[in-house]
């Protein structure tokens, strides 16, 4: 065995060549349509997209990246480090620059989703896992991270793709190739400018460098390990410099540190996965860890000494560490899914389970072909029923699943028709959409940029206002607010209606539908 190579699987993966080509084809089609069905389950446009494309539109208009905020009339941070500005550029050109509109966005969505899955498959194959095992395990990864990961379209999707590419680079390095180093540098620069997930990518890279160094130490002495891993260590050392290559320069790093440490108790996706209430996903999440642990234990029992075991240190550790990340924050579940599908098949290929799978597949090829085709037909039907080609911008609760954002589409249509402008108090989810539709005619009180643009306490103040807590009137009078856009489900609607009816509040309802109410200050009406 050559130094730094993974042990050969119990059953060589070339056994998959005994599969009938039509069986492999049917399994591949089933897998691809399964990916389509999972991605099609979430076609609702992501609320963060609107502030990203709005920012890039301002960049194009001004010829420079804005360093301060121009969308809000409430206090904002002195320097607004928008770490997802690059994603805004991608989204803007997909929709506006291409001339394809919503179709361009959907092409981007599915292009990213299938690219992630393709790179994960390539990584798993490079790690020695056979085709059949990867395909049979893919439903677990898709069930765990697909709906959360394949959004329409948020910057984290690019993080998933770049993480998979990084894992591919790790596999290339193990195979003795070094050209990946040239690609890793622009990858990290692009990652820095597209999504804050670069922090996870950088941490995983640094951990991998450490694991490879431990491997090298067992093969030689300290200086030998340094020489063997000099290219990896060098890249790790320049990471801080690469992360400063962005429009904000060195100000980017302090922002990231603050953002990583910040708690977000009011944002559901930052809560623990155990409180999600999604029983199916939780079962798959637990099963995924169970599979990895069982494989790791089997490898440990099979291993012959520290050198044999340490080669699996990184695969096992990255699965466990990303599992811990995901258990704490639902937002990281998709990161765990990528790590799992890249490395769990390789771990299982070192166990007797691998042998059993290949033998079972070989004995039941016709049944597997029929099951795969049936699965493919069901997945296609699900995709068609979900209208996978259409962007969903829900204006009413009936247009979207519970918990999904509802956008003030018709309220903005009304304002455009009546040519009404001013400062608008908005709910957290609605501000970015209002800015995309109405800026600079309308400025907002808040949007989903959260810590990027707004000081500590701004979101809490807004939540208290829309819950009609005792301080609601104080908040209303604190800023130069001309209008209030309120979701009908919020308590402030009834409270303001009552205050207007009794004459306590000199405001007026100028628009109402089943989703939103639009209040306007009487002074603003008089001025108009």
């Amino acid at each position: 065995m050559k130094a730094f190579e993974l042990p050969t699987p119990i059953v060589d993966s070339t056994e998959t060549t005994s599969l009938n080509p039509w069986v492999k084809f049917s399994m591949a089609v089933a897998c691809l349509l399964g990916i389509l069905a999972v991605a099609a389950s979430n076609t609702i446009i992501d609320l963060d997209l609107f502030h990203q494309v709005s920012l890039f539109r301002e960049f194009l208009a001004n010829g420079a990246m804005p360093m301060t905020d121009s969308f809000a009339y409430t206090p904002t941070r002195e320097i607004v480090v928008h770490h997802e500005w690059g994603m805004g550029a991608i989204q803007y050109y997909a929709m506006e620059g291409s001339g394809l509109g919503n179709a361009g966005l959907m092409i981007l969505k599915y292009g990213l989703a299938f690219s992630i899955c393709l790179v994960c498959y390539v990584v798993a194959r490079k790690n020695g896992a056979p085709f059949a095992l990867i395909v049979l395990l893919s439903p677990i990864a898709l069930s765990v991270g697909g709906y959360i990961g394949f959004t329409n379209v948020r910057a984290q999707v690019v993080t998933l793709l770049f993480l998979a590419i990084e894992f591919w680079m790790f596999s290339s390095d193990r195979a003795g190739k070094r050209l990946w180093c040239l690609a890793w540098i622009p990858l990290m620069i692009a990652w820095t400018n597209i999504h804050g997930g670069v922090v996870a990518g950088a941490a995983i890279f640094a951990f991998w460098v450490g694991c490879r160094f431990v491997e090298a130490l067992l093969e030689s002495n300290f200086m030998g390990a340094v020489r063997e891993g000099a290219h990896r260590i060098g890249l790790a050392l320049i990471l801080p410099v690469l992360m400063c290559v962005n429009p904000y320069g060195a100000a980017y790093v302090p922002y990231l540190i603050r953002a990583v440490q910040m708690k977000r108790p009011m944002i559901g996706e930052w809560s623990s996965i155990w409180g999600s209430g999604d029983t199916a996903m939780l079962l798959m999440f637990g099963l995924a860890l169970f599979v990895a642990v069982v494989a790791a234990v089997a490898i440990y029992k099979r291993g012959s000494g520290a050198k044999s075991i340490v080669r699996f240190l990184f695969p096992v550790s990255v699965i466990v560490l990303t599992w811990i990340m995901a258990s704490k924050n639902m937002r990281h579940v998709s990161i765990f899914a990528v790590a799992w599908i890249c490395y769990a098949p390789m771990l299982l290929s070192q166990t007797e389970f691998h042998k059993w799978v290949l033998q079972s597949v070989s004995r039941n090829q016709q049944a597997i072909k029929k099951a795969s085709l049936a699965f493919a037909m069901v997945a296609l039907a699900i995709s068609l029923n979900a209208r996978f080609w259409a962007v969903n911008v829900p204006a009413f609760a009936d247009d979207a699943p519970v918990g999904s954002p509802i956008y003030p589409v018709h309220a903005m249509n009304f304002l455009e028709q009546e040519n009404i402008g001013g400062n608008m108090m908005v709910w957290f989810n609605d501000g970015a959409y209002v800015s995309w539709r109405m800026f600079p005619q309308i400025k907002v009180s808040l949007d989903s940029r959260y810590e990027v643009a707004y000081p500590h306490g701004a979101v809490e103040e807004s939540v208290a206002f829309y819950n009609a807590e005792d301080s609601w009137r104080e908040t209303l009078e604190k800023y130069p607010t001309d209008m209030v856009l309120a979701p009908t489900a919020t308590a402030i609607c009834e409270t303001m209606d009552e205050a207007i009816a009794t004459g306590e509040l000199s405001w007026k309802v100028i628009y109402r539908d089943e989703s939103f109410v639009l209040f306007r200050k009487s002074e603003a009406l008089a001025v108009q």
Side-chain angles (χ1 to χ4, degrees):
M1 182 187 301
K2 295 180 182 179
F4 312 118
E5 286 187 349
L6 290 172
T8 304
I10 287 180
V11 179
D12 196 293
S13 60
T14 54
E15 274 199 23
T16 55
T17 56
S18 63
L19 283 178
N20 183 291
W22 285 107
V23 175
K24 293 183 72 173
F25 176 76
S26 63
M27 293 176 71
V29 169
C31 189
L32 290 172
L33 289 176
I35 296 167
L36 177 64
V38 172
S41 67
N42 187 2
T43 58
I44 296 174
I45 198 162
D46 188 80
L47 58 92
D48 287 336
L49 177 145
F50 294 112
H51 66 69
Q52 291 160 0
V53 292
S54 296
L55 176 74
F56 192 71
R57 182 176 60 188
E58 286 304 291
F59 166 75
L60 293 177
N62 299 328
M65 183 61 62
M67 294 292 113
T68 58
D69 177 73
S70 56
F71 300 105
Y73 67 92
T74 52
T76 56
R77 293 191 178 275
E78 184 177 350
I79 298 178
V80 177
V81 178
H82 201 304
H83 62 288
E84 297 179 352
W85 76 268
M87 190 62 190
I90 295 170
Q91 294 161 336
Y92 186 89
Y93 282 116
M95 296 189 301
E96 302 293 322
S98 68
L100 296 174
N102 288 343
L105 185 64
M106 299 309 283
I107 291 172
L108 175 64
K109 169 187 170 68
Y110 291 111
L112 286 170
F114 281 104
S115 295
I116 292 165
C117 295
L118 175 62
V119 177
C120 287
Y121 170 78
V122 171
V123 172
R125 289 288 287 153
K126 282 180 70 70
N127 288 337
F131 167 84
L133 186 61
I134 299 169
V135 171
L136 292 173
L137 291 176
S138 62
I140 297 178
L142 289 171
S143 299
V144 169
Y147 181 84
I148 294 174
F150 298 152
T151 53
N152 192 25
V153 177
R154 71 189 314 169
Q156 182 156 338
V157 185
V158 177
T159 278
L160 301 182
L161 176 60
F162 284 1
L163 181 61
I165 292 172
E166 192 172 58
F167 288 153
W168 173 81
M169 291 176 175
F170 296 170
S171 300
S172 296
D173 184 80
R174 184 172 287 281
K177 299 176 182 178
R178 298 292 181 265
L179 286 177
W180 65 269
C181 298
L182 299 177
W184 183 83
I185 292 174
L187 177 79
M188 295 306 294
I189 293 174
W191 204 342
T192 295
N193 288 276
I194 291 175
H195 188 232
V198 67
V199 174
I204 288 172
F205 181 82
F207 181 73
W208 171 73
V209 170
C211 289
R212 292 303 307 272
F213 187 78
V214 171
E215 287 185 30
L217 274 178
L218 294 176
E219 296 286 347
S220 62
N221 55 32
F222 180 83
M223 292 308 300
V226 171
R227 285 192 296 270
E228 191 280 330
H231 62 292
R232 295 187 292 267
I233 297 170
L235 291 176
L237 291 175
I238 66 170
L239 252 174
V241 176
L242 297 180
M243 293 178 70
C244 291
V245 182
N246 64 82
Y248 311 99
Y252 181 87
V253 175
Y255 159 74
L256 273 186
I257 294 173
R258 172 168 52 84
V260 168
Q261 294 176 338
M262 182 178 177
K263 297 186 182 301
R264 300 168 178 84
M266 296 185 178
I267 309 299
E269 65 180 18
W270 286 98
S271 60
S272 170
I273 190 175
W274 307 116
S276 67
D278 189 335
T279 305
M281 185 179 71
L282 288 173
L283 287 173
M284 287 297 181
F285 186 61
L287 176 62
L289 181 65
F290 175 76
V291 168
V293 170
V294 168
V297 171
I299 291 168
Y300 176 79
K301 290 181 177 179
R302 180 192 172 203
S304 53
K307 291 182 181 180
S308 176
I309 301 303
V310 80
R311 291 187 177 90
F312 297 97
L313 176 61
F314 177 75
V316 173
S317 298
V318 77
I319 289 176
V320 172
L321 291 174
T322 54
W323 187 91
I324 293 172
M325 288 170 55
S327 66
K328 292 183 176 180
N329 301 118
M330 286 184 61
R331 189 181 178 93
H332 297 142
V333 168
S334 53
I335 293 177
F336 165 72
V338 168
W340 189 87
I341 196 60
C342 284
Y343 290 107
M346 179 267 283
L347 295 176
L348 285 173
S349 71
Q350 306 299 318
T351 70
E352 292 293 334
F353 177 78
H354 171 220
K355 178 179 178 180
W356 176 82
V357 167
L358 292 185
Q359 291 175 344
S360 298
V361 169
S362 181
R363 286 195 301 264
N364 299 282
Q365 294 193 42
Q366 290 306 309
I368 289 174
K369 182 174 73 172
K370 292 177 182 178
S372 296
L373 293 175
F375 179 89
M377 294 301 293
V378 172
L380 179 60
I382 291 172
S383 302
L384 292 172
N385 184 63
R387 293 172 52 84
F388 70 89
W389 61 89
V391 171
N392 186 2
V393 186
F396 303 108
D398 292 341
D399 299 334
V402 175
S404 299
I406 307 298
Y407 296 109
V409 177
H410 300 294
M412 295 305 103
N413 292 342
F414 167 79
L415 292 175
E416 285 182 338
Q417 292 167 4
E418 298 298 322
N419 194 30
I420 298 173
N423 296 333
M424 180 183 289
M425 186 83 74
V426 292
W427 180 244
F428 180 88
N429 286 358
D430 306 325
Y433 179 79
V434 173
S435 292
W436 173 245
R437 288 284 305 271
M438 302 300 294
F439 182 82
Q441 187 175 338
I442 290 177
K443 290 195 172 186
V444 298
S445 60
L446 186 70
D447 57 56
S448 56
R449 286 176 297 168
Y450 206 177
E451 82 286 348
V452 169
Y454 299 97
H456 178 72
V459 174
E460 290 77 5
E461 180 182 63
S462 178
V463 170
F465 173 80
Y466 280 96
N467 286 339
E469 295 181 11
D470 293 341
S471 60
W472 74 268
R473 191 185 294 270
E474 177 185 342
T475 302
L476 186 61
E477 297 172 354
K478 183 177 179 180
Y479 307 108
T481 303
D482 302 313
M483 290 175 281
V484 173
L485 178 69
T488 53
T490 57
I492 196 64
C493 284
E494 183 178 352
T495 300
M496 288 188 69
D497 276 336
E498 292 176 355
I500 292 170
T502 59
E504 297 176 21
L505 197 64
S506 298
W507 287 62
K508 183 180 180 180
V509 174
I510 61 171
Y511 176 83
R512 188 189 299 268
D513 62 29
E514 66 181 74
S515 299
F516 292 92
V517 179
L518 191 55
F519 300 91
R520 194 176 188 199
K521 188 185 292 186
S522 297
E523 290 92 327
L525 287 166
V527 170
Q528 186 182 29

